[in-house]
Amino acid sequence: MVPVICRLCMLSLQTGLFLSTLKHALVHPRIKKPTLDPGVVSNYRPISNLSFISKLAERVVARRLTSHIAKFNLLPTRQSAYRPYHSTETAVLSVHNDLVYAIDNRHVSLVVLLDLGAAFDAVDHDNLLSILANRLALDWFRSYLANRTQTFALAGKHTVSYLVDCSRSTWFHRLH
C-alpha cells in the first residue's frame, strides 16, 4: 500500500489537484468538558474526521511547506506558532522580556491580546489564495481549499452533505 499512497500524494502535488473524495469530512459534536451542560449548543466543539489518505497528504504538504519556509527564512523571527522549539511559552517569555526591558528604560508599554482560536476556520479562502499567488504550489492549495464538504452526525443521524463555508457556521443546528 505504501507505494500506492506515495504515488497518490506525488500525483496530487504534480497535478495541483486534491481529490474531492479526500475533501469530505464527517463532523461529530463533542462536549468540551464533561461537567458542561449537554443541552447548551456552545458547550460543544465540532470535530471533523477526514480520511487517512487526506490527513497523510496534508502532512506531506505541511512538511514540504515548512521546509520551504525555513529554507527561505519566510517567518518573522519572533513568531512562535508553527515553528519547532517555539510555543506559547516562548511567546509569553518574549513579551515578558520586552515589557521588563521597557519598564527598566522608563518606556510606556501597551499590550493588545487577540483570541485567534479556530482562526483557520475564519480565514477567507479567497484572501489566503491571493496571498499565495505566484508562490509555492498555488494550484494545489486552491484545489485543496475549494469545494470542501462535510456531513454532520449526532446520535446516529446524519445530515445531507454541505459545502464548507469559511465563515462560522451554525453546524449544530444543521443536525435538527
Side-chain angles (χ1 to χ4, degrees):
M1 288 297 291
V2 172
V4 172
I5 293 171
C6 286
R7 181 78 176 132
L8 185 63
C9 287
M10 289 307 298
L11 280 173
S12 176
L13 292 170
Q14 289 169 349
T15 62
L17 297 174
F18 195 73
L19 296 174
S20 60
T21 55
L22 300 179
K23 297 192 278 185
H24 183 77
L26 184 58
V27 182
H28 297 277
R30 297 288 186 247
I31 193 124
K32 293 177 182 176
K33 295 179 184 174
T35 57
L36 295 175
D37 181 0
V40 177
V41 174
S42 62
N43 289 341
Y44 287 87
R45 175 179 293 116
I47 304 297
S48 298
N49 294 314
L50 292 163
S51 73
F52 168 76
I53 293 178
S54 176
K55 298 303 289 178
L56 187 64
E58 288 174 8
R59 286 192 178 129
V60 167
V61 170
R63 283 196 178 144
R64 286 181 168 211
L65 182 60
T66 302
S67 173
H68 177 83
I69 287 169
K71 180 179 178 180
F72 294 100
N73 200 24
L74 298 175
L75 290 179
T77 56
R78 302 196 53 187
Q79 178 174 324
S80 290
Y82 311 109
R83 297 181 75 182
Y85 312 111
H86 290 76
S87 64
T88 53
E89 186 176 340
T90 57
V92 168
L93 288 172
S94 177
V95 170
H96 178 266
N97 184 60
D98 290 349
L99 290 171
V100 169
Y101 180 82
I103 291 167
D104 287 347
N105 289 295
R106 299 179 187 259
H107 294 136
V108 176
S109 298
L110 173 68
V111 177
V112 176
L113 303 173
L114 303 171
D115 180 5
L116 299 176
F120 188 75
D121 296 340
V123 170
D124 184 295
H125 293 172
D126 291 332
N127 285 341
L128 177 61
L129 291 172
S130 71
I131 291 168
L132 291 172
N134 300 318
R135 296 192 186 197
L136 176 70
L138 174 61
D139 289 340
W140 188 90
F141 282 102
R142 183 175 284 126
S143 177
Y144 174 81
L145 292 170
N147 303 315
R148 298 187 74 83
T149 58
Q150 57 191 3
T151 301
F152 299 90
L154 179 65
K157 295 181 183 178
H158 291 76
T159 65
V160 295
S161 183
Y162 287 91
L163 197 60
V164 175
D165 183 356
C166 65
S167 62
R168 292 240 184 233
S169 65
T170 54
W171 59 272
F172 190 81
H173 297 288
R174 293 180 177 173
L175 294 170
H176 298 292

